Amino acid sequence: MIKVATTCVRITPTGVFYMDGYGSDERRLPALGVHDDAYAVLLLVEVDGTRTMFVSLDVCNINRSRTERLRELLCEALEIDDEHLVVSTIHSHSCPTSLREGGITGKETLGWPEMVCGLVVQAATLLPDELVEASCEVLRTHVRGWYSNRNSKDKPFDDEVFVVKFVDAAGATVAGMLNFNCHATVVGPKNRYLTTDVQGAVRARIADWIGVVPYTFTGASGDLGNRQFRKGNDFAELARVSCGIANEIMRGSFEPIELSAPAVSVFHQDIDYDNTVYWPSYREKVAEAQAVLDDPEASYDAKKLARTEVTRLTERQQIERIAFPIDMRTYDFGSVVFVTFPGELGSTLGMRIKAMFPGKVAIVIGYANDGQGYFVPAGDFGLGYESFVTKLPEGGIENVLDAFGGQV
């Protein structure tokens, strides 16, 4: 038996706040206002008596440490173990700071994390009493022509899209999920108005269509974006892109699917290595990026990427040893499997994870439970700034996925 409950909580900050996502001079100034509100979407799924909680936050990234209290309170309120809780982000680069440590500008939105925690936990306490029986349907389609691998249109990327809806006995949609894999970066680094960007805008259009705000997440999209298709970086372009993507999704059709009580497994690996051996290459890349910034003929997008590269690689030259954990979780509902990842996976890496579950609908939840930055396929090193700011050397993430696949 499937039971579900969902709610959407407005978490827009009040007073002075800063925005995460870019290291531009504009982002070191307070936000000017709100273009569209930030939300937390909560989805409680109970299958054969086993509960799993999914929470999506409208922020760029989260750290485990910054969300630890939120997790503790949610588990207490819902009487679930932490393994049955997924907290992820939509990865908008124009949402408030402070749910991750060391945001790109270092600016904090004071008091906002506590506000988010209180609002989300308060809303979650109501969900157990709102559980309703439902059946599950899945729309599976592909979207092309609006986003791609941002290193090259010709490179492979994960264009799969999933919409999951839970339908009650009367045929009404009572909860949903939405996954498409694209960076929420239509609006550029000069913007100082809060926006959920393309993930939030498509979510709103899908909500109008299926009748409920879906739990929305992006998967392995560390190298995906609409850079090659972009006709601007303002809110008019955001409307054009979100309409286009939503329209492509809504061409698909739903099929019924059965769910069973989830089998949950946890994969953990500690990374620890000497970073000083990479310092000479960092210095070389900083010099190359600085040359782009000094070039009056360089494009806006080129300078945007170069600025981020200079900031991040300069920071890297202060770190002698890199040590961090990678925690992945697998939620096997029988016909459908969700795999969480604590960072920004390259697209082909996400497709590799999906291929580990033949015969099942496999969906990756990126930016989930923690934020450990970019994870770049070995063949893409040197193609974009992601490979200069990743925490793993070339081939490192493939070794991690080898170990994960061995556990699967």
Side-chain angles (χ1 to χ4, degrees):
M1 179 185 297
I2 303 172
K3 293 183 178 181
V4 295
T6 190
T7 190
C8 182
V9 185
R10 180 179 175 274
I11 57 170
T12 304
T14 58
V16 175
F17 67 95
Y18 294 85
M19 296 196 302
D20 202 355
Y22 293 112
S24 60
D25 293 339
E26 289 83 359
R27 291 303 179 85
R28 290 175 172 78
L29 301 171
L32 292 175
V34 177
H35 179 270
D36 48 274
D37 284 313
Y39 289 93
V41 180
L42 288 65
L43 171 62
L44 181 62
V45 179
E46 181 180 294
V47 184
D48 296 336
T50 300
R51 292 177 179 175
T52 306
M53 179 68 165
F54 298 90
V55 179
S56 176
L57 300 173
D58 286 353
V59 294
C60 185
N61 276 309
I62 57 173
N63 285 133
R64 180 77 186 214
S65 58
R66 287 284 176 98
T67 57
E68 194 67 44
R69 183 57 176 162
L70 171 64
R71 303 185 70 90
E72 291 173 357
L73 292 173
L74 285 174
C75 290
E76 179 181 343
L78 300 170
E79 298 182 335
I80 61 174
D81 293 331
D82 188 84
E83 287 76 13
H84 284 268
L85 172 63
V86 178
V87 180
S88 61
T89 82
I90 65 167
H91 200 56
S92 167
H93 285 46
S94 294
C95 275
T97 62
S98 296
L99 283 180
R100 64 164 166 165
E101 296 168 339
I104 195 166
T105 63
K107 296 293 186 178
E108 297 282 350
T109 300
L110 300 177
W112 187 66
E114 293 79 8
M115 171 185 149
V116 171
C117 182
L119 290 172
V120 170
V121 173
Q122 185 180 51
T125 61
L126 303 176
L127 292 182
D129 293 332
E130 296 176 355
L131 286 165
V132 296
E133 289 188 29
S135 58
C136 185
E137 300 178 8
V138 175
L139 179 156
R140 183 177 188 175
T141 188
H142 299 264
V143 169
R144 290 263 169 171
W146 294 96
Y147 53 88
S148 64
N149 190 311
R150 59 191 189 185
N151 290 318
S152 170
K153 279 186 181 181
D154 299 325
K155 292 186 69 66
F157 72 99
D158 189 355
D159 64 353
E160 272 195 310
V161 176
F162 295 95
V163 181
V164 180
K165 68 176 179 179
F166 298 91
V167 181
D168 67 13
T173 302
V174 291
M177 309 176 85
L178 167 65
N179 163 239
F180 67 99
N181 306 313
C182 181
H183 259 82
T185 54
V186 172
V187 180
K190 292 184 179 296
N191 170 56
R192 289 169 59 197
Y193 287 89
L194 188 157
T195 175
T196 56
D197 212 291
V198 69
Q199 289 283 340
V202 173
R203 176 181 65 193
R205 298 181 190 281
I206 296 298
D208 290 340
W209 177 53
I210 64 173
V212 68
V213 179
Y215 163 76
T216 298
F217 58 95
T218 183
S221 56
D223 51 9
L224 300 189
N226 77 325
R227 185 181 303 161
Q228 292 96 343
F229 301 92
R230 194 176 297 158
K231 296 183 178 180
N233 58 0
D234 56 12
F235 291 110
E237 176 66 0
L238 174 57
R240 187 187 75 86
V241 171
S242 60
C243 281
I245 294 172
N247 287 342
E248 290 296 319
I249 295 172
M250 291 186 288
R251 295 174 189 266
S253 58
F254 288 91
E255 299 289 339
I257 195 165
E258 297 294 327
L259 300 183
S260 58
V264 181
S265 61
V266 179
F267 170 82
H268 174 89
Q269 185 161 326
D270 289 311
I271 306 297
D272 189 348
Y273 66 92
D274 179 9
N275 188 49
T276 62
V277 299
Y278 299 98
W279 283 4
S281 64
Y282 295 161
R283 287 192 289 269
E284 179 181 340
K285 295 302 179 183
V286 167
E288 292 175 1
Q290 188 60 52
V292 173
L293 292 176
D294 295 338
D295 181 1
E297 302 299 322
S299 70
Y300 173 84
D301 278 346
K303 289 197 174 192
K304 179 180 74 173
L305 298 175
R307 186 178 295 108
T308 301
E309 192 173 325
V310 168
T311 300
R312 288 308 191 194
L313 289 178
T314 300
E315 292 172 353
R316 279 301 180 81
Q317 294 176 61
Q318 311 304 315
I319 303 172
E320 294 187 355
R321 190 158 207 90
I322 289 182
F324 65 97
I326 294 178
D327 288 294
M328 300 171 63
R329 295 178 179 180
T330 301
Y331 299 82
D332 189 339
F333 286 86
S335 299
V336 181
V337 176
F338 297 96
V339 179
T340 68
F341 191 83
E344 306 191 50
L345 272 176
S347 185
T348 57
L349 300 170
M351 291 189 284
R352 176 179 172 184
I353 292 172
K354 290 181 176 184
M356 296 176 185
F357 302 92
K360 296 177 182 285
V361 173
I363 309 175
V364 175
I365 306 177
Y367 311 90
N369 299 323
D370 201 357
Q372 297 296 348
Y374 285 105
F375 294 84
V376 180
D380 287 353
F381 268 68
L383 296 182
Y385 81 97
E386 297 91 348
S387 62
F388 307 131
V389 297
T390 178
K391 290 182 176 180
L392 284 179
E394 186 171 349
I397 185 57
E398 281 81 4
N399 293 335
V400 172
L401 294 186
D402 284 344
F404 172 74
Q407 179 173 300
V408 169

